[in-house]
């Protein structure tokens, strides 16, 4: 192949022949630069931001929680979503720093929200799989809560099923310590992993979030309607609250409400936005459910 060049590594003193693909090299150096930029953004605390997406309670119609979703405003590449950079932090051993940055900022914002007249509004924060093996996590959460004097019940940690499976006993131990602080726990993207009922029962959870993939075809798929109905019933049997993710239409909302789903989140109400925009679109005491034309 024309794009495969051969070279010999000299520094090693051995005659090792490597195949060298210039396209791969280019890609690798792009990723390396991105990694470097991300480390710097974290250190200087200047380019990472939290966006928030409302979670609405279907019984009261009120704003119940905000999910914190991290964004990176890269000087060259613009606004990057977590799919683009979480994996970089995970692969290079600084996802704990990133999630810690998010937790600190979220606690800070919780404090601001309380002063702006949103008492009891919760913030839900995503936690990487890798951090569920990090013994320091409960201590850090406790520190951030104390530093901002936020009530622990106003903070929720979202963990994914895959996060739990790699070392379930260790994860349970860690989650129990976090739960003991008073922080709420939810299982995210439910239905996409392999959680068994036995695991679900052992975890100290408050909330189950049904993955968006089960919500998007509700209108056309009888099977998805049955699955969602069954997940809601199962979650309630385990005394968990149910949030449906990715609700985009009034039809989906009506179905979920009819089946006793507790809370919803999705573009129907709002995409994730900076906190100031959330505050101006959802002032305290308004009921977002009424705004989309739904009765209680
Ligand atoms: P997630 O926790 O399941 O978050 C929901 C994702 O669905 C968000 O994508 C959100 O923008 C998107 N979404 C919400 N409603 C709708 C809808 O109605 N329609 C559609 N099509 N999409 C909707 P986002 O912000 O790109 O985040 C992607 C994932 O990145 C999150 O999935 C979460 O797993 C992860 N993530 C986000 N923030 C953090 C963080 O601070 N730390 C870690 N470790 N992971 C994070
Ligand atoms: Mg989430
Ligand atoms: Mg999710
Ligand atoms: Mg999801």
């Amino acid at each position: 192949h024309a794009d495969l060049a051969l070279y010999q590594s000299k520094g090693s003193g051995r005659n090792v022949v490597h195949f060298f693909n210039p396209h791969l090299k280019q890609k690798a150096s792009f990723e390396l630069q991105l990694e470097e930029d991300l480390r710097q953004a974290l250190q200087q605390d200047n380019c990472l931001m939290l966006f928030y997406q409302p979670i609405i309670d279907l019984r009261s119609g009120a704003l119940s929680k905000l999910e914190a979703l991290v964004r990176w405003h890269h000087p060259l590449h613009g606004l990057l979503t977590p799919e683009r950079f979480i994996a970089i932090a995970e692969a290079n051993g600084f996802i704990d720093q990133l999630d810690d940055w998010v937790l600190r900022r979220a606690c800070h914002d919780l404090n601001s929200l309380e002063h702006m007249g949103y008492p009891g509004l919760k913030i839900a924060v995503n936690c990487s799989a890798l951090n569920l093996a990090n013994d320091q996590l409960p201590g850090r959460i406790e520190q951030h809560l104390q530093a901002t004097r936020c009530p622990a019940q106003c903070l929720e940690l979202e963990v994914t099923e895959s996060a739990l499976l790699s070392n379930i006993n260790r994860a349970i131990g860690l989650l129990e310590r976090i739960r003991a602080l008073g922080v709420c726990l939810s299982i995210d993207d439910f239905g996409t992993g392999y959680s068994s009922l036995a695991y679900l029962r052992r975890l100290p959870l408050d909330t189950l979030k049904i993955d968006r993939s089960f919500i998007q075809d509700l209108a056309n798929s009888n099977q998805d309607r049955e699955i969602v109905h069954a997940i809601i019933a199962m979650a309630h049997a385990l005394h968990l609250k149910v949030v449906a993710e990715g609700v985009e239409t009034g039809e989906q909302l009506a179905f979920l409400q009819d089946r006793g789903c507790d809370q919803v989140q999705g573009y129907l109400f709002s995409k994730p936005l900076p906190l100031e925009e959330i505050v101006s679109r959802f002032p305290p005491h308004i009921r977002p459910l009424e705004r989309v034309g739904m009765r209680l």
Side-chain angles (χ1 to χ4, degrees):
H1 281 276
D3 64 349
L4 277 183
L6 278 171
Y7 74 97
Q8 288 190 308
S9 69
K10 293 193 173 122
S12 68
R14 277 176 286 138
N15 280 336
V16 184
V17 176
H18 299 273
F19 285 96
F20 169 70
N21 179 332
H23 294 300
L24 281 182
K25 170 125 189 281
Q26 210 174 39
K27 174 144 191 293
S29 70
F30 180 80
E31 290 297 315
L32 270 176
Q33 185 60 53
L34 216 53
E35 179 199 335
E36 194 44 46
D37 295 347
L38 184 55
R39 284 184 197 274
Q40 225 175 67
L42 265 169
Q43 251 156 38
Q44 300 173 351
D45 192 5
N46 56 0
C47 297
L48 291 169
M49 305 184 268
L50 284 188
F51 276 25
Y52 288 97
Q53 188 178 34
I55 298 176
I56 286 98
D57 192 278
L58 290 182
R59 239 164 294 284
S60 67
L63 190 59
S64 169
K65 299 175 206 171
L66 299 175
E67 179 174 1
L69 294 154
V70 69
R71 299 289 182 265
W72 178 17
H73 193 92
H74 190 280
L76 292 179
H77 312 304
L79 199 66
L80 302 180
T81 59
E83 259 99 21
R84 192 66 196 82
F85 61 88
I86 292 287
I88 297 178
E90 285 182 339
N92 296 286
F94 58 100
I95 188 65
D96 55 332
Q97 283 174 55
L98 195 147
D99 280 351
D100 198 54
W101 181 91
V102 171
L103 271 167
R104 181 155 34 88
R105 176 57 55 86
C107 286
H108 174 270
D109 288 343
L110 256 180
N111 196 301
S112 313
L113 282 167
E114 209 173 321
H115 290 110
M116 286 189 279
Y118 295 87
L121 184 62
K122 291 185 183 186
I123 289 183
V125 166
N126 293 281
C127 181
S128 166
L130 297 176
N131 285 332
L132 287 183
N134 180 350
D135 256 356
Q136 296 174 344
L137 185 64
R140 286 191 184 161
I141 295 175
E142 193 174 16
Q143 274 172 17
H144 294 314
L145 287 169
Q146 279 170 358
T148 48
R149 291 199 212 95
C150 290
Q153 314 79 257
C154 288
L155 187 65
E156 183 162 305
L157 212 62
E158 298 193 358
V159 300
T160 53
E161 290 175 84
S162 56
L164 298 168
L165 288 174
S166 53
N167 188 339
I168 187 77
N169 289 320
R170 188 173 187 163
I172 290 175
L174 210 71
L175 291 176
E176 277 169 351
R177 283 166 60 198
I178 294 169
R179 191 71 189 71
L181 299 171
V183 172
C184 302
L185 297 174
S186 67
I187 188 156
D188 202 357
D189 301 344
F190 184 80
T192 57
Y194 304 92
S195 291
S196 73
L197 283 174
Y199 283 166
L200 268 190
R201 215 180 37 167
R202 285 177 63 196
L203 296 168
L205 296 169
D206 302 278
T207 301
L208 178 155
K209 299 186 76 172
I210 305 177
D211 191 68
R212 185 173 83 222
S213 57
F214 296 101
I215 307 301
Q216 68 195 10
D217 295 326
L218 277 181
N220 305 313
S221 166
N222 190 41
Q223 196 173 32
D224 285 356
R225 286 195 292 276
E226 295 292 347
I227 290 172
V228 167
H229 187 187
I231 294 176
I232 294 171
M234 178 204 68
H236 284 165
L238 293 167
H239 306 291
L240 302 176
K241 292 244 182 272
V242 184
V243 179
E245 294 184 320
V247 176
E248 297 183 355
T249 70
E251 201 177 356
Q252 292 164 347
L253 177 63
F255 174 83
L256 291 162
Q257 200 170 28
D258 182 58
R259 296 306 153 99
C261 183
D262 301 284
Q263 298 178 336
V264 288
Q265 168 180 11
Y267 295 168
L268 178 64
F269 296 93
S270 173
K271 60 183 187 182
L273 294 169
L275 191 63
E276 314 83 73
E277 280 180 61
I278 291 290
V279 164
S280 73
R281 279 172 171 233
F282 299 90
H285 312 304
I286 77 130
R287 290 180 197 283
L289 202 58
E290 284 165 8
R291 217 193 259 178
V292 295
M294 289 299 284
R295 285 178 300 114
L296 287 177

